[in-house]
Amino acid sequence: MLGETLKVQDMNVILRYFGKLSRRQELSQVFDWMQQNQKINVASYSSYVKLMGNSLSSVEALEMYKSIKDRSTKINVSVCNALLSCLVKNGKSESSLKLFTQMKRDGLVPDVVTYSTLLAGCAKVKDGYCKALELVQELMSNGLLMDSVTYGSLLSVCASHKECNEAEKYFQKMKAEGQSPNVYHCSSLLNAYSVDGNYEKAEALIEEMRSAGLVLNKVVYTTLLKVYVKGGLFEKSKELLKELEAFGYAKDEMPFCLLMDGLVKSGHLLEAKSVFDEMMGKHVKTDGYSYSIMISAFCRSGLLEDAKKLASEFEEKYDKYDVVILNAMLSAYCRAGEIENVMSMMKKMDDSAISPDWNTFNILIRYFCKEKLYLLAYRTMEDMHRKGHQPEEGLCSSLIYHLGKTDAHSEAFSVYNMLRYSKRTISKSLHEKILHILIAGRLLKDAYVVVKDNAGFISRPAIKRFAVNFMRSGNVNLINDVMKAMHSSGHKIDQWIVNFQNERQSRWPA
């Protein structure tokens, strides 16, 4: 009875009440009731999506949006902005851009918030800078003006896509329009300077911030550290790290990791280890990233015992893993040839429900090949392919060769097809390599497919070898097709092959 007397506005107040208390379950239950009893309006939808925050998955948000029957509600800018923001926060920026296009077709009139939301997502997608420019041009053509938030999102996109000059251009344009940059705008520009270590411009920007009365926070100092490290100014980096510690901004491992990573990449392994030891001595909180940097560095330098020691130390001290640290430990054990520890790391990955990434598969396949476990390497590559990761052509080519040598001809052809159906152009020599393997394995029908599709990339001797073998043992019903494929590819057919063809076909009269 109470529900019947409450109006939509009252229900929205209840929604906001549960939202402020972060009581997501009750919030969801109230919203479901509102939908079922048609006590819902534009504010209900937008508030629900915003209040649910990260608890609302992109799938749930899209299902909710599709369930809206009223057209005016569905194209309401507040509802659309809330949904697009949910997709961006859930890492579905590509989906948000596609949905935005559909929303406009349905009648949405976007506002500045719409464009700022989508621009924020462009920082994390491929070709994001180009997409961001398209959004900015569309915004201006619609008669809208860029505000502080829009500029902030655009500067972030420029920084993440290494467009330093463009970041500077928009920063100056913002000031020319009378808008005062805040700490977020400045830290984004600093991040752009960190791409090539332009410390002079970075220091000038820091002075400008101080003159404007802006407070330098942890993000600004950490980003300046990135600039110094990238510029190879390691002494300045160490001094700045001490300042970060003094301000209480180095309680986690990230600032130390920035310096360690820069030192390692510049060949200063011992200095990096010294920073690592200092960090450990100060009991700085670590998520394992510092360990992964040092373990990987030791592996690359051939210091396998040091890498194994650190990997063992991490296992003893911490019961928390992610794919980065597991890959580093896996690499150490693979290089040392310790199969039991390799299998242990793989089990930890399964037990922790951590999905292997491209690097994981690459490490394992190379290791299995090194140990001559070619069928295991093949099954690992199959799994890699199923999970949507594209293997390197060089690795595939090596595995194809070894599978062929161990008479695993069909498996070699399967690896070839993984490359063939990928969106990359593969080496011309690979077609001939797989052809010889298929002929050796008497997989002549598959060999015919390779010749038919790639005859122009295969040498005359290889084509002739295929033709001879097919005439002797291939499917008699495909002989004419083989001859046509050879002829259309420009290869001259020897007269004796034609005679052999006629003789063999005469044994199976039509």
Side-chain angles (χ1 to χ4, degrees), residues 216-223 244 248-252 254-255:
L216 308 187
N217 59 17
K218 179 181 178 180
V219 174
V220 173
Y221 277 111
T222 306
T223 308
L244 279 161
Y249 294 157
K251 293 179 180 179
D252 59 48
M254 189 49 65

Side-chain angles (χ1 to χ4, degrees), residues 14 29 179 191 204 216 253 259 280 294 304 314 423 452 470 473 502:
I14 296 172
Q29 289 171 346
Q179 300 191 49
N191 200 26
L216 308 187
E253 67 181 339
L259 179 53
M280 291 293 110
M294 292 311 304
L304 300 183
F314 183 84
K423 295 179 179 178
K452 180 171 65 73
F470 201 96
S473 311
N502 294 334

Side-chain angles (χ1 to χ4, degrees), residues 302-321:
L303 302 171
L304 300 183
E305 287 303 317
D306 292 301
K308 281 166 50 186
K309 183 181 175 183
L310 269 190
S312 299
E313 181 183 308
F314 183 84
E315 283 192 82
E316 289 172 9
K317 284 186 178 180
Y318 306 98
D319 189 27
K320 182 171 60 175
Y321 298 93

Side-chain angles (χ1 to χ4, degrees), residues 29-40:
Q29 289 171 346
V30 170
F31 184 75
D32 288 342
W33 185 91
M34 292 171 70
Q35 282 185 303
Q36 291 165 12
N37 292 273
Q38 297 183 346
K39 290 203 170 187
I40 199 162

Side-chain angles (χ1 to χ4, degrees), residues 382-433:
E382 269 193 319
D383 193 25
M384 180 183 194
H385 185 67
R386 276 195 299 270
K387 287 183 167 60
H389 300 292
Q390 289 191 354
E392 290 179 338
E393 182 180 329
L395 187 57
C396 287
S397 181
S398 175
L399 183 55
I400 287 170
Y401 170 78
H402 289 298
L403 287 169
K405 284 290 185 183
T406 52
D407 295 334
H409 308 103
S410 61
E411 287 82 2
F413 188 54
S414 178
V415 175
Y416 167 79
N417 281 327
M418 289 179 202
L419 274 177
R420 181 182 168 211
Y421 293 116
S422 68
K423 295 179 179 178
R424 294 176 297 182
T425 303
I426 64 177
S427 172
K428 296 175 183 179
S429 62
L430 196 59
H431 304 300
E432 186 162 326
K433 178 185 285 189

Side-chain angles (χ1 to χ4, degrees), residues 302-496:
L303 302 171
L304 300 183
E305 287 303 317
D306 292 301
K308 281 166 50 186
K309 183 181 175 183
L310 269 190
S312 299
E313 181 183 308
F314 183 84
E315 283 192 82
E316 289 172 9
K317 284 186 178 180
Y318 306 98
D319 189 27
K320 182 171 60 175
Y321 298 93
D322 63 14
V323 71
V324 176
I325 183 63
L326 282 172
N327 282 346
M329 296 166 73
L330 194 61
S331 179
Y333 293 135
C334 283
R335 288 179 184 239
E338 298 188 357
I339 186 71
E340 289 184 7
N341 283 327
V342 169
M343 293 306 172
S344 173
M345 286 298 101
M346 291 172 69
K347 187 176 185 302
K348 274 188 172 63
M349 195 167 274
D350 284 338
D351 293 344
S352 306
I354 295 172
S355 297
D357 62 7
W358 182 90
N359 198 28
T360 314
F361 287 113
N362 199 50
I363 292 167
L364 288 172
I365 294 167
R366 290 184 184 280
Y367 170 66
F368 293 141
C369 285
K370 186 181 80 171
E371 296 296 321
K372 297 182 171 57
L373 301 169
Y374 301 121
L375 286 177
L376 189 52
Y378 164 70
R379 286 196 288 273
T380 306
M381 188 169 284
E382 269 193 319
D383 193 25
M384 180 183 194
H385 185 67
R386 276 195 299 270
K387 287 183 167 60
H389 300 292
Q390 289 191 354
E392 290 179 338
E393 182 180 329
L395 187 57
C396 287
S397 181
S398 175
L399 183 55
I400 287 170
Y401 170 78
H402 289 298
L403 287 169
K405 284 290 185 183
T406 52
D407 295 334
H409 308 103
S410 61
E411 287 82 2
F413 188 54
S414 178
V415 175
Y416 167 79
N417 281 327
M418 289 179 202
L419 274 177
R420 181 182 168 211
Y421 293 116
S422 68
K423 295 179 179 178
R424 294 176 297 182
T425 303
I426 64 177
S427 172
K428 296 175 183 179
S429 62
L430 196 59
H431 304 300
E432 186 162 326
K433 178 185 285 189
I434 193 62
L435 178 61
H436 286 299
I437 290 171
L438 294 172
I439 293 170
R442 302 183 70 80
L443 299 175
L444 299 176
K445 189 174 180 179
D446 294 327
Y448 161 62
V449 172
V450 173
V451 170
K452 180 171 65 73
D453 293 342
N454 307 284
F457 304 132
I458 301 172
S459 69
R460 177 173 171 75
I463 291 282
K464 184 175 180 179
R465 184 183 173 212
F466 159 71
V468 169
N469 279 273
F470 201 96
M471 295 308 161
R472 286 174 177 163
S473 311
N475 185 332
V476 70
N477 296 318
L478 289 176
I479 287 179
N480 284 334
D481 291 332
V482 170
M483 300 293 282
K484 287 176 185 175
M486 292 176 64
H487 180 73
S488 62
S489 67
H491 284 277
K492 185 179 178 182
I493 305 171
D494 291 345
Q495 185 59 44
W496 73 269

